[in-house]
Amino acid sequence: MIELLEQYGRLLLVGHYPNGPLGGLAMTILTSLLCLAICFPIATLLALARTHGNKTLARFYTGYIYFVRSMPLLMLIFWIYYFLPYVLPFSLSPFVTIVLAITIFSSAYLAEVIRAAIEALPKGQYDAASALGFRYWQTTFLIVLPQALTNCIPGLVSQFILIIKETSLGYIITFNELTYVAHELNKILLVKPVEIFTILAISYFVLCSGLSQLGGQLERRIARGRLSNDSDQ
Amino acid sequence: MTVTNEDPILQIKDVHCKFGNFEALKGINAQLEKNEVVVVCGPSGSGKSTLIRTLNRLESISAGQILFEGRDIYEKGMSVETLRTKIGMVFQSFNLFPHLSARDNVALGLIRVLHRPKKEAEQTASELLASVGLGDELHKKPMELSGGQQQRVSICRAVALEPTVMLFDEPTSALDPEMVGEVLSLMKTLAGRGMTMLCVTHEMGFAKEVADSIWFMADGQMVDRAPVSDFFSGDISDRAKSFLKAIH
Amino acid sequence: MTLDYSAILEDRYFDYLVSGAITTFSLALAAWVAAIILGLLIAAVRNIDFLPTRWFCIVFVDYHRSVPLLVQLFVWYFALPELLPQAFTQSINRGNPEVFFAWVSLTLYSASYMSEDIRSGLRAIPPGQFEAARTIGMNYAKMMRWVIFPQAWRLSLPPLVNQALILFKGTSLASAIGVAELSYQARSIETQTFRAFEAFSLVTLIYMVGTIMIMFFGDRLVARYALKRG
């Protein structure tokens, strides 16, 4: 296994970069970060659509959540990658497909997390804001979101882990991320499936398990902060 | 207080109880006679709840001896389950089983522990609940009942097993003020029927009216044990006096 | 582009869809049942006060929650047959190894999540419930059977329903190791007829029917059995 890592470790880490396209683990992480960065503002807006109080917006939100919950991510990838070229003058690259599909999906899940955090805020916060004469957007951006989004940080970490795991579906449309690179390597070498897939699984395990430990610590810290705030009151 | 020649029901001999380095009970001596009603009071953290929880082995003691009907409760061959059916307990937070109706809460012990036939147990439970004024609430779940009603159900759950002694751990502390009366009057009825009772409570009115003796505890020690008349006429320690002053 | 469902609803492709749907639904159901049993078992073993078994459970659960399901499928399908005794591999290969390994992967994956759901259901039961059961004279077995378990499964129900949903959708990944389930058939029909919209919309619709059924019955179950506590 050591020998394999010496020879192909670099390929699994960064693909053919810098002499060719980036790939492997680096691609997985960068794509995941990009997806998370795009998801976050969309999810926040979605959550606000739900909590705003407008019925049409709330219905749109519910419809969107149900739509995402009712379909496998793989089918969405099929729609984008295999169907869109029939109706568009161009086709989307595997990279764009994955980012688009994951963003559509994760925005819904993250929106649920943010919505829960907004709804968990004590009603007194809204009363205090209106007592100060704040309008909706002032209340939202100065009072509600700063608190709710801070409480969401552990949820954000969990979402990041989910996204990293979802990027592995890139393999199906030959997107150059870690799972695809490992699978290709297996096809070339043929005789080392045990080593290759063990390395692949361990890589994800270390990355995601580590992140979830971090998320757990953040959660405990935030919970402690909230407790001490409560006892101050 | 009924004077009898029988052995005390409960004898507590030099009982110690430790949680890690903290000594919650520091050598308690006391005894409970048949038909006696005792109110245990004292500041919070004095060990009064711990004391009654050691009596049915919800907490283990680290030294000393507890005799129930003359037998050591830690003695070999003494089944802890049988002991607990003979010592009923009522908790501050009711601890009713939320997945069962009021009737089924009361019937559960009869069916699963005393192995009574289901029909008969349900009949007994229904009659018992009706006798405490809950005949219309038999099929409600605990969450559909008020706090006072829940506590009455939980008293019935304990009484159903026909225990020899009843332990009450601050039974009215979690109740809204207007519901305290209904629970206390049920306890008074029980006492009137000759039930032996040990009640941790701050309800001094109840103590005056119903109790035979008062045990006053502080810092894990039994500071005073006095007949109720002596206790309220002031024949007690200074600590107990200042405690009484503080809660009035 | 004109829509023409008749082209893909002719005998051959219709058969693709039906067999795909049957594979998807039965794979999901078989894995769900096995996962609940295994999940309960893991939750029980995890609570035993013996370090080796506890650590095994922790790592087992952590592995299945941290590694993408697709990679778990690859490990089972490509790597493990090399390590298993040959006689065993051969007997699997005589049947349908793709479906077998997909079932194993989905079961282990789901069981890991479910065991955590069951454990948090157990933890959500207040200590007073255990004490109350003890005070009416119940021993450990009776307490678990009549007081704790009836509450734990009710408390675990909402996440277990959600897990059924995730599992059902997760079967789609089995196509990557060649299981001929719904999304596999969607691609086959599309590549053979070039009718992407018709093929994908039908398959998406079947998935939606499945997920909406799970959500609907799940919600009814939760509404009926959920514990109300103040």
Side-chain angles (χ1 to χ4, degrees):
Chain A
M1 186 139 37
I2 304 288
E3 199 183 315
L4 191 79
L5 271 177
E6 274 173 357
Q7 226 174 332
Y8 298 102
R10 196 186 161 83
L11 181 74
L12 290 169
L13 271 182
V14 293
H16 294 287
Y17 188 83
N19 307 316
L22 184 73
L25 184 63
M27 193 60 160
T28 292
I29 294 176
L30 288 178
T31 310
S32 305
L33 278 173
L34 180 67
C35 290
L36 188 68
I38 304 176
C39 270
F40 186 56
I42 298 177
T44 309
L45 284 177
L46 278 169
L48 287 177
R50 177 68 184 82
T51 53
H52 177 275
N54 179 307
K55 270 199 178 141
T56 317
L57 284 177
R59 247 182 244 134
F60 168 76
Y61 175 89
T62 311
Y64 185 71
I65 299 288
Y66 266 84
F67 167 74
V68 166
R69 293 222 322 151
S70 67
M71 196 203 295
L73 179 58
L74 185 67
M75 279 316 289
L76 185 62
I77 292 173
F78 280 6
W79 277 106
I80 297 171
Y81 194 68
Y82 296 116
F83 168 68
L84 282 186
Y86 285 96
V87 288
L88 292 177
F90 55 88
S91 55
L92 297 171
S93 71
F95 171 72
V96 175
T97 303
I98 285 298
V99 172
L100 197 60
I102 291 183
T103 305
I104 292 173
F105 252 58
S106 295
S107 298
Y109 288 105
L110 195 55
E112 283 282 273
V113 174
I114 298 174
R115 176 181 73 100
I118 292 177
E119 286 172 353
L121 284 186
K123 203 180 155 291
Q125 294 294 315
Y126 292 91
D127 294 345
S130 44
L132 289 172
F134 282 2
R135 290 162 191 282
Y136 175 76
W137 289 110
Q138 287 172 311
T139 310
T140 303
F141 281 101
L142 298 175
I143 311 293
V144 176
L145 286 183
Q147 297 185 64
L149 295 181
T150 314
N151 294 343
C152 272
I153 291 172
L156 216 56
V157 177
S158 318
Q159 194 61 46
F160 186 49
I161 296 171
L162 280 178
I163 292 175
I164 291 175
K165 295 200 289 173
E166 281 167 351
T167 56
S168 67
L169 266 66
Y171 153 79
I172 285 155
I173 53 169
T174 70
F175 171 47
N176 206 16
E177 46 68 58
L178 183 58
T179 306
Y180 177 75
V181 172
H183 198 274
E184 288 299 293
L185 188 60
N186 181 47
K187 273 205 304 207
I188 297 165
L189 299 180
L190 277 175
V191 290
K192 295 209 181 286
V194 177
E195 290 86 343
I196 290 174
F197 287 106
T198 307
I199 292 170
L200 180 64
I202 290 178
S203 310
Y204 278 110
F205 179 74
V206 170
L207 181 63
C208 296
S209 179
L211 278 169
S212 96
Q213 302 291 330
L214 177 79
Q217 270 171 20
L218 284 171
E219 191 165 0
R220 278 188 291 277
R221 181 174 300 179
I222 288 169
R224 259 203 310 274
R226 236 181 321 203
L227 277 182
S228 60
N229 277 346
D230 286 352
S231 57
D232 287 347
Q233 281 162 7
Chain B
M1 187 171 126
T2 340
V3 182
T4 60
N5 297 324
E6 290 175 67
D7 276 342
I9 287 194
L10 275 166
Q11 287 168 274
I12 303 163
K13 296 181 174 172
D14 194 29
V15 162
H16 291 254
C17 178
K18 268 188 179 170
F19 300 114
N21 286 326
F22 174 69
E23 196 163 29
L25 299 177
K26 303 169 182 164
I28 301 291
N29 286 293
Q31 58 189 44
L32 188 66
E33 307 290 340
K34 193 169 179 353
N35 307 115
E36 193 182 16
V37 176
V38 169
V39 161
V40 188
C41 61
S44 65
S46 59
K48 50 197 191 312
S49 283
T50 309
L51 175 66
I52 70 166
R53 289 163 58 87
T54 58
L55 301 179
N56 64 355
R57 291 181 55 180
L58 274 188
E59 307 289 355
S60 331
I61 61 177
S62 47
Q65 203 183 23
I66 296 170
L67 303 182
F68 174 69
E69 293 176 334
R71 285 181 67 194
D72 189 329
I73 62 168
Y74 285 95
E75 174 182 303
K76 264 205 164 156
M78 178 74 149
S79 139
V80 64
E81 283 82 27
T82 315
L83 173 78
R84 285 173 179 157
T85 58
K86 291 185 181 165
I87 302 183
M89 186 161 196
V90 174
F91 299 90
Q92 176 178 355
S93 48
F94 330 135
N95 296 345
L96 287 177
F97 305 129
H99 60 297
L100 298 177
S101 67
R103 187 196 66 186
D104 292 347
N105 261 280
V106 178
L108 187 69
L110 290 170
I111 300 171
R112 302 296 164 198
V113 180
L114 300 185
H115 305 291
R116 301 271 167 79
K118 196 160 179 263
K119 279 262 149 29
E120 184 197 310
E122 286 172 354
Q123 182 67 25
T124 310
S126 303
E127 283 164 11
L128 197 52
L129 285 167
S131 75
V132 303
L134 293 173
D136 294 332
E137 330 290 338
L138 296 180
H139 301 290
K140 287 192 179 156
K141 294 280 167 70
M143 268 307 112
E144 298 162 313
L145 301 173
S146 74
Q149 289 173 324
Q150 288 190 61
Q151 194 59 301
R152 282 187 279 158
V153 174
S154 96
I155 293 173
C156 289
R157 179 174 67 182
V159 169
L161 303 179
E162 296 173 2
T164 324
V165 188
M166 287 280 292
L167 309 175
F168 293 84
D169 190 0
E170 306 207 23
T172 57
S173 301
L175 294 176
D176 291 337
E178 75 270 22
M179 292 168 182
V180 171
E182 61 190 79
V183 171
L184 289 180
S185 82
L186 174 54
M187 289 166 65
K188 199 173 142 188
T189 312
L190 276 178
R193 280 195 222 135
M195 175 65 82
T196 312
M197 291 165 50
L198 192 56
C199 319
V200 173
T201 180
H202 295 300
E203 298 290 337
M204 285 303 137
F206 171 82
K208 251 180 213 167
E209 197 181 342
V210 182
D212 300 303
S213 326
I214 312 273
W215 297 356
F216 175 76
M217 292 180 67
D219 296 328
Q221 278 158 338
M222 186 70 75
V223 180
D224 283 284
R225 275 198 296 141
V228 74
S229 51
D230 294 359
F231 192 84
F232 288 106
S233 62
D235 190 10
I236 44 172
S237 65
D238 290 343
R239 287 201 72 162
K241 272 183 199 152
S242 61
F243 172 77
L244 273 183
K245 210 176 274 164
I247 64 167
H248 277 305
Chain C
M1 191 183 80
T2 49
L3 286 186
D4 182 6
Y5 279 97
S6 64
I8 68 158
L9 286 178
E10 67 169 78
D11 289 350
R12 184 154 61 112
Y13 300 126
F14 185 72
D15 288 348
Y16 279 14
L17 284 176
V18 171
S19 80
I22 291 173
T23 309
T24 290
F25 279 90
S26 40
L27 186 58
L29 187 67
W32 187 71
V33 171
I36 284 200
I37 297 168
L38 186 61
L40 271 169
L41 209 67
I42 297 171
V45 173
R46 172 77 171 74
N47 277 350
I48 295 172
D49 203 8
F50 179 59
L51 271 182
T53 53
R54 167 170 298 184
W55 272 101
F56 175 80
C57 289
I58 291 175
V59 173
F60 182 90
V61 168
D62 203 14
Y63 168 81
H64 290 100
R65 300 195 335 155
S66 302
V67 175
L69 178 57
L70 187 64
V71 174
Q72 295 179 34
L73 281 160
F74 286 166
V75 169
W76 275 99
Y77 187 66
F78 293 115
L80 277 162
E82 306 273 324
L83 299 176
L84 295 172
Q86 269 220 309
F88 187 66
T89 316
Q90 274 166 359
S91 76
I92 292 169
N93 285 344
R94 269 196 295 278
N96 189 334
E98 289 82 15
V99 172
F100 176 76
F101 286 122
W103 174 73
V104 171
S105 310
L106 285 165
T107 300
L108 298 184
Y109 170 80
S110 230
S112 294
Y113 280 93
M114 285 179 179
S115 74
E116 288 296 289
D117 294 338
I118 293 164
R119 266 164 42 79
S120 46
L122 270 174
R123 270 200 303 268
I125 299 173
Q129 291 293 314
F130 293 80
E131 290 187 351
R134 294 287 200 186
T135 16
I136 58 171
M138 289 188 159
N139 58 22
Y140 181 81
K142 284 177 183 169
M143 173 178 79
M144 292 311 275
R145 169 66 187 87
W146 300 108
V147 175
I148 303 306
F149 184 72
Q151 296 185 53
W153 81 262
R154 285 170 165 87
L155 289 167
S156 313
L157 198 56
L160 287 179
V161 168
N162 192 38
Q163 210 46 55
L165 197 64
I166 292 171
L167 176 60
F168 176 70
K169 294 191 285 177
T171 56
S172 65
L173 297 188
S175 62
I177 57 167
V179 174
E181 45 65 74
L182 271 173
S183 40
Y184 182 94
Q185 302 293 20
R187 276 285 285 150
S188 313
I189 298 172
E190 188 255 342
T191 46
Q192 288 174 39
T193 62
F194 301 104
R195 298 214 161 264
F197 185 86
E198 290 86 340
F200 291 172
S201 60
L202 275 179
V203 167
T204 304
L205 189 73
I206 300 175
Y207 274 121
M208 284 184 163
V209 169
T211 51
I212 287 169
M213 260 167 38
I214 295 173
M215 288 192 250
F216 178 75
F217 288 110
D219 286 351
R220 302 241 328 220
L221 270 179
V222 170
R224 173 146 182 214
Y225 289 108
L227 270 192
K228 289 188 204 77
R229 237 212 304 261

